Amino acid sequence: MIIERFQRENPFRMRILGSGVVFLAALAACLLALAPLRLGLVLFGIVVWFSCPGVVLGAVVYRQTPGRAMAIALNASIWGYGLSSVTLLLLWCAGIRGGALLLAPVLAGAVAWLIGLPLRHRLTSPLFTNADIVAVLLLLTLTLGIVGRPFAKVASPVEDGRAYRAYFTADFVWRMAVAAELSKGDFPPKNPFFRRDQLRYYWLAHLLPAAEYQSLRREGTIEQILLVNGVALGLGFVAFMYGFLRQWVDRAWAAAAGVVGGLMFTSFEGAERLFVLWREGASFDYIRTLNIDAVTRWIYESLPIDGLQRLLWYQPQHSTAYALGLSAILVLAQAGTPSVAVLAFCGILLGLCLLLSTFSAIMLTSMVAVLALIMIVRERAWTRLLTGTIAGAAPLVGAVLICLSLRYVDEGSGSLVTIGVNPMAFRNAPVAILLSFGPMLIAAIAGAFLARRRLLSSFLPIVVIIVLSFFFYFFVDLRGHQHVYVGWRAGDLLFVAFGALGGYALQELWSMKPNVRVVTAATVALLAALAAPTFAIDFYNTQDTTNRMPAAGFDWTLVLHQDELDALSWIRNYTPQNAIVQVEPYVRDSKTWAYVPAFAERRMSAGLPISMVPLDKYEAASAQVRSLYQETDAASAHARASRLGIDYLIVGVPEDQAYPHIREVLRSRVDLFREVFHRGDVSIFYVDR
C-alpha cells in the first residue's frame, strides 16, 4: 500500500528510483566483467573523484539556474576532469608520484572556483526536470550495454592463449603501450619505438591510467585499468552529449532519441552490404570479414566515417576532448553574449581539449572562433574583438606552449596539416555521405527545415559545427594517415550536431496532428530498421574473438599464445624497466607492431608505430634492426645489436619464418648471446655487452 501510494503521488520519483537501480546493477555487472569488483569500483571512483572540481565550477557559473544540479552533472563534470588532468600533469612534471596524486582534484577545485568567479550569473542552462533524470539514467544504462560485452572480450582467455579483437589491436593496444611507458615515471616520457627520443604523442589523456597502473599493478592488469577508465569516460561523454542536445531540444525524450541515434543508428552501410550479398546470392558469413563501418572506404574508396559507438569502444581520449571543446560552444550558447570573461572561459576549455586531442582542438577552436565572431559582429561590439580575442587566445597559447615543451610533435617534421582538396573525400561523395550519415542526415535535414527561421539565431552554433565539419571533411588532411583521419573527427562532430537537429525534428513533428505523428513514427521506424544492421554487425564483430580469419595486413583476432604470454611475463618480471627489448619490426608490421611496448611493457630500439608521424625515422631505424636479423655471423650480429643499444632479442614465429637461420646464429656464440628464456617457439637472448 505504501509503495502504491508513493507511486501514485510521485510517479516520476518511482521512475527515477527504478532507472537508478537498473543503472547501478548494470554498472556493477559491467565492472565485474572487466575486473575484480573492488578494483573496478576503486578505478571508477577515481575517475569520479577527478571530475569533482567541475562541481565547484558548475556551482558558481550555474548559481541561479533552476535545476542546476543536472547542469553540473551533465556539463560541468567533464570540465572538472579536464582541470584535474592538467593538475595531475603539473604534479607529474614536479616528480610527485603515488597516492599524493589524488590531491590533484583538490588543487584543481581551487582553480575551478577562481575560474568561475568572473562567470557568476553568466550562464543559463535549460530547465531540467525529473524526466531528464530518467532519460539520462536510461542512456547511461544503454551505454553500459554498448561497451560491456566488447570490453569483456578484450584480453579474454581462450583455449590457445589470450585474444584481442581488431580494432582493439590498434587503438586499445596503442593506449596500453603509452600507459605502460608513462607508468615508469620518467619525465619526459621516453619513446618506446625509438631509442633516445621522447614520446611524440599527446599523452596527457593516458596519464591517469598510467598513474593508477604505477600504484595498482599488483592489484590488476593494465588492460583492466584502461577498460574501467574507458567505461567511466564513455558514461561522461554520453551524459554530456545529452546535456548538449538539451540546449536545443526542449523534450527529454526527444533529446534522448537524438543521443540514441548518434550511438546506434548512424549508417546505412550494413543494410547496403546485406542487400548486395542477398542480390548476389553470397553467404552472409562474409559480413564477419568486413569492417562494416568503413564500407565507404573499402568498397567505394571514399572517406570512412565511424559511428559514435566506436568512439566509446576505442577512443575515450577523443570523446573527452570533444566534450571539452563542445563545452566552449555550449558556453557561448548559454551566455548569449561573448563577453571577455566568457571568451576567456572558452579559451580554457579549448586549451584543455588541445592537451587531450590536438587535432580535435584545431577543429573545435575554429568553430568557436567563427561563432564568437558572428555574435560580436551582430552586437557591433567592436572593442570586444580585440579584448575578447586576447582573453580567449591566452589560455590556448598556454596550452600550445605546454605541447611544445612536452614535444608532442617531432621537430623538423614540417606541417602535418594540409589545406586543399582531399581527393578521397570527393571520390563517390554523394554515395559515401548517404551511406555514412544516412538516417542522422535525413533527420537533421528535417530538423533544419522545421527550425529554418531559427537556424541563424538560436541554432547558429549547430549550423557552424555542421558547415565547418564539412569544410574539414572535404578540404583538410592530416599527413601520414592515408587521407582518412580528418573524416573520422569531422564525422564524430557531425553526428553530435545531427543529433540536436534530429531531436528537434522529432519534438516538433510529434506536437503536430495525429496523422503527422503516424507518418513520423513510420519514418523513424523505417530509418532505424535500415540503420540497425550496421550497429548490430559492428557490435557482434567487435567482440567476436572466434574469428581467426586474416584481414588485409592483420588478423581479425590477435591471439597471444601461452608460450608468448610466458615470455612477455618473464620480460616484465625479470628485466629492468629501461631495458631495450627488440623484435623485427617489419615482419611484425601491423599484426603485432606494439608487441614489446604494450605486452612486455619495455622499449624497443626501433619500431613501426601506427599512431606517430612522420614514420621516416622509424622506418630507417627499423631497417637497421632488419639487417641485424639478416646476419649470418654472430659476431657481426652482436656488433649491430650493440650499436643499436639492444639488451634483449626476441625470436618468435614471425622471425623464424622470415629468418630461419637466426636462432642458430645467436646460439652459436653463447659468450655474445645468452639464451635466457625458451619455451615453444619463443626464445629470448640477452645481448652480453
Side-chain angles (χ1 to χ4, degrees), residues 64-307:
Q64 291 186 332
T65 296
R68 65 173 180 163
M70 278 293 288
I72 293 170
L74 298 177
N75 303 332
S77 295
I78 202 72
W79 307 344
Y81 185 84
L83 290 170
S84 293
S85 296
V86 174
T87 307
L88 176 67
L89 172 64
L90 297 176
L91 296 177
W92 194 263
C93 295
I96 297 173
R97 304 289 185 270
L101 295 173
L102 290 174
L103 292 174
V106 177
L107 301 175
V111 175
W113 181 74
L114 292 174
I115 291 173
L117 286 179
L119 293 165
R120 284 179 297 179
H121 318 308
R122 296 293 179 90
L123 304 186
T124 303
S125 73
L127 180 59
F128 293 108
T129 65
N130 288 336
D132 291 290
I133 300 176
V134 174
V136 170
L137 288 171
L138 293 177
L139 284 173
L140 296 183
T141 304
L142 175 66
T143 303
L144 293 171
I146 291 173
V147 303
R149 178 67 175 176
F151 280 9
K153 300 294 283 186
V154 173
S156 60
V158 292
E159 184 178 349
D160 45 351
R162 191 187 302 160
Y164 296 81
R165 168 70 196 200
Y167 289 85
F168 284 109
T169 53
D171 293 287
F172 183 78
V173 169
W174 170 245
R175 283 157 50 207
M176 286 175 60
V178 175
E181 181 57 46
L182 292 172
S183 72
K184 296 172 185 175
D186 291 333
F187 184 80
K190 307 300 182 185
N191 188 338
F193 295 94
F194 196 86
R195 191 169 65 102
R196 295 176 180 172
D197 190 24
Q198 290 182 212
L199 181 58
R200 306 294 184 170
Y201 183 74
Y202 44 96
W203 47 264
L204 174 59
H206 310 291
L207 183 55
L208 179 57
E212 292 171 326
Y213 185 52
Q214 186 185 66
S215 299
L216 300 171
R217 67 176 70 228
R218 293 183 180 179
E219 305 291 330
T221 66
I222 195 168
E223 290 97 335
Q224 291 170 333
I225 291 171
L226 287 169
L227 289 170
V228 173
N229 274 266
V231 169
L233 294 178
L235 291 172
F237 172 73
V238 171
F240 170 81
M241 184 176 172
Y242 177 84
F244 185 83
L245 266 58
R246 268 289 275 119
Q247 184 66 29
W248 291 275
V249 183
D250 297 330
R251 301 293 183 182
W253 66 268
V259 176
V260 172
L263 293 177
M264 298 180 64
F265 302 103
T266 57
S267 164
F268 290 145
E269 289 165 294
E272 187 269 355
R273 282 297 93 189
L274 290 175
F275 173 76
V276 170
L277 293 175
W278 171 79
R279 185 185 61 192
E280 296 178 353
S283 171
F284 287 114
D285 196 53
Y286 168 72
I287 290 296
R288 297 179 65 211
T289 69
L290 187 63
N291 179 359
I292 195 64
D293 218 6
V295 166
T296 53
R297 180 182 184 184
W298 301 119
I299 306 299
Y300 294 95
E301 300 181 332
S302 191
L303 276 189
I305 299 297
D306 287 346

Side-chain angles (χ1 to χ4, degrees), residues 603-650:
R603 299 162 188 155
M604 295 195 294
S605 177
L608 295 170
I610 64 174
S611 296
M612 290 195 281
V613 291
L615 275 174
D616 299 356
K617 71 177 186 182
Y618 300 99
E619 292 171 338
S622 294
Q624 297 181 41
V625 174
R626 180 169 55 189
S627 297
L628 162 61
Y629 279 87
Q630 291 171 338
E631 288 286 356
T632 57
D633 176 70
S636 298
H638 183 269
R640 284 186 179 275
S642 299
R643 286 196 298 271
L644 293 169
I646 296 171
D647 299 307
Y648 296 88
L649 278 171
I650 296 178

Side-chain angles (χ1 to χ4, degrees), residues 348-504:
I348 291 171
L349 293 170
L350 292 169
L352 297 175
C353 175
L354 180 71
L355 292 169
L356 292 176
S357 176
T358 309
F359 187 78
S360 302
I362 294 174
M363 296 180 65
L364 287 159
T365 298
S366 67
M367 295 172 187
V368 172
V370 169
L371 178 60
L373 179 61
I374 293 174
M375 295 172 73
I376 289 174
V377 170
R378 279 183 174 176
E379 295 180 12
R380 299 184 179 182
W382 309 118
T383 56
R384 211 180 303 158
L385 273 176
L386 178 61
T387 57
T389 300
I390 294 173
L396 270 171
V397 170
V400 170
L401 292 177
I402 292 175
C403 292
L404 292 176
S405 65
L406 297 177
R407 299 184 180 179
Y408 278 177
V409 181
D410 268 334
E411 295 91 344
S413 60
S415 175
L416 299 179
V417 179
T418 59
I419 298 178
V421 172
N422 184 337
M424 200 169 185
F426 278 91
R427 192 177 298 132
N428 296 316
V431 174
I433 289 175
L434 179 62
L435 288 177
S436 293
F437 296 108
M440 295 298 289
L441 178 61
I442 293 170
I445 291 173
F449 176 78
L450 293 169
R452 59 191 180 278
R453 295 179 180 177
R454 299 170 55 193
L455 281 180
L456 299 181
S457 54
S458 58
F459 275 88
L460 179 63
I462 302 300
V463 173
V464 169
I465 293 173
I466 292 173
V467 170
L468 287 184
S469 292
F470 273 120
F471 170 80
F472 277 90
Y473 180 95
F474 284 109
F475 298 106
V476 180
D477 196 9
L478 196 63
R479 181 159 59 94
H481 287 278
Q482 302 173 326
H483 308 294
V484 298
Y485 185 88
V486 178
W488 286 325
R489 305 285 78 82
D492 290 337
L493 296 175
L494 282 168
F495 281 130
V496 174
F498 289 166
L501 286 173
Y504 180 80

